Amino acid sequence: MMKNREKEEEDMYAALWESDRIMKIEREERECAASIQRNKDCLAVLEKQLAAIRVQQENAKELKEEEARLMEEEKKQREAEERNLLQVKRAQQAAAREHHTNQIRLKARREAKELQGELAIDMKILEALLTETKNEKKKQFRERVSFTRSSRLHENILTSK
């Protein structure tokens, strides 16, 4: 009986040991599975973070490209505006020069007309003076001729007496 009892005890200890060993293996398998799951979860989180970082990098790259495109567009627009302003300025300057030139021409024509008027008046005065001088000379000449005739006549009369 003792042997039986020892056998039972041994079987019981063997069963306990086997049960303990199986529980230990199962616990290790559960811990291993949990560790694997944790690693998978961690990997999934890291992959999501990596994907998010890649999206951010792509967005940053696109934003930088968009910013560069907008700056280039703004630069071209500014250059076009500057060209337009320069054209407007040149056109205004040309118009101002033309206006100034026209004003100078008009003034010169006005002055020439005034000068022609003054010259015409001067010519009339000179012609009048010339006519008066000619008339005066003719009168003097007639007077001299008349005086000379009178003198000769008088001389003839005196000599004939």
Side-chain angles (χ1 to χ4, degrees):
M1 262 216 93
M2 202 70 137
K3 261 188 170 182
N4 255 350
R5 201 165 177 181
E6 277 180 28
K7 174 100 170 108
E8 280 179 20
E9 251 181 62
E10 261 181 48
D11 286 345
M12 184 182 80
Y13 282 124
L16 280 173
W17 184 80
E18 185 61 26
S19 168
D20 193 38
R21 188 183 68 80
I22 289 172
M23 283 177 25
K24 190 176 179 185
I25 288 172
E26 286 174 353
R27 184 176 38 104
E28 285 176 357
E29 285 176 355
R30 279 192 311 271
E31 286 175 359
C32 188
S35 177
I36 288 172
Q37 188 59 46
R38 278 193 306 274
N39 287 343
K40 283 182 182 179
D41 292 345
C42 189
L43 181 62
V45 168
L46 290 175
E47 285 176 346
K48 283 181 185 177
Q49 288 176 345
L50 185 59
I53 288 171
R54 285 187 181 138
V55 167
Q56 284 179 337
Q57 287 174 337
E58 187 63 31
N59 288 343
K61 180 183 173 188
E62 288 174 5
L63 187 64
K64 196 172 188 178
E65 289 172 355
E66 178 69 13
E67 190 176 315
R69 187 186 64 76
L70 287 174
M71 287 176 71
E72 183 64 26
E73 197 174 294
E74 188 178 306
K75 178 184 172 193
K76 286 179 182 177
Q77 189 175 12
R78 195 170 47 250
E79 288 171 350
E81 287 174 3
E82 288 173 359
R83 281 192 303 274
N84 287 341
L85 287 174
L86 186 60
Q87 285 177 337
V88 167
K89 182 179 178 183
R90 286 180 179 163
Q92 288 174 341
Q93 287 174 339
R97 271 193 305 274
E98 187 175 337
H99 177 72
H100 186 65
T101 303
N102 288 339
Q103 291 299 321
I104 290 172
R105 280 189 195 127
L106 288 173
K107 183 179 178 185
R109 285 181 191 155
R110 232 181 3 260
E111 289 174 352
K113 200 171 186 181
E114 287 174 9
L115 187 59
Q116 277 181 329
E118 289 173 7
L119 286 173
I121 290 170
D122 288 348
M123 287 299 289
K124 284 180 183 179
I125 292 171
L126 286 174
E127 285 174 5
L129 285 173
L130 185 60
T131 304
E132 191 177 312
T133 305
K134 283 181 183 177
N135 290 340
E136 188 69 34
K137 282 186 179 182
K138 281 181 185 177
K139 183 180 172 188
Q140 286 175 357
F141 181 72
R142 278 194 303 264
E143 286 174 356
R144 262 188 297 188
V145 167
S146 176
F147 178 73
T148 307
R149 277 186 194 157
S150 294
S151 294
R152 281 187 195 156
L153 186 61
H154 186 57
E155 212 177 280
N156 285 339
I157 291 177
L158 287 178
T159 51
S160 45
K161 281 194 178 174

